[in-house]
Amino acid sequence: MTTPPSTDPDTDPDKNTDTDPGPGTTAPYTLGLRLAAACGLLFLLACLVFTGMITLRDAIEGDGSGGVFIAAGFWSLALGAVAGVAALAVPRRALVTAQYCLAAAGPLLALID
């Protein structure tokens, strides 16, 4: 004795269950963005050392006090670190881009002073 085929679409074994989750639910490049954010943190560390060297050179050769642009450079590096940690937690291309831009702005702002 056989059972008749089910007409319920939820229990139908012949139904195709491979459905597309839709755009925006999962991103295939999140690992790449997280790796870029992690490398960006290393870049931030290098920019921090370079900004510190610029600041010390300015203190020795200049008047001995840091200006507004040096403070802005260090704030830029701090904001870049926040963007980098946020990009590690929630990988978004805009956060990674902001991280690299803020990291590069740190030494450049210190050079202006």
Side-chain angles (χ1 to χ4, degrees):
M1 179 174 222
T2 61
T3 60
S6 173
T7 58
D8 186 17
D10 292 333
T11 60
D12 188 10
D14 296 329
K15 181 182 174 188
N16 187 4
T17 58
D18 297 331
T19 59
D20 185 25
T25 56
T26 59
Y29 56 88
T30 57
L31 178 65
L33 285 175
R34 284 195 170 123
L35 286 174
C39 291
L41 289 175
L42 293 174
F43 180 63
L44 269 163
L45 182 64
C47 287
L48 177 66
V49 169
F50 191 57
T51 305
M53 289 171 30
I54 293 169
T55 303
L56 288 176
R57 184 190 57 91
D58 184 54
I60 292 171
E61 293 177 359
D63 58 357
S65 65
V68 176
F69 287 110
I70 288 179
F74 281 113
W75 273 106
S76 174
L77 291 172
L79 291 174
V82 169
V85 171
L88 281 175
V90 182
R92 299 284 185 257
R93 187 180 308 150
L95 285 173
V96 174
T97 304
Q99 176 190 12
Y100 278 96
C101 289
L102 288 168
L108 292 175
L109 286 170
L111 280 172
I112 292 172
D113 193 30

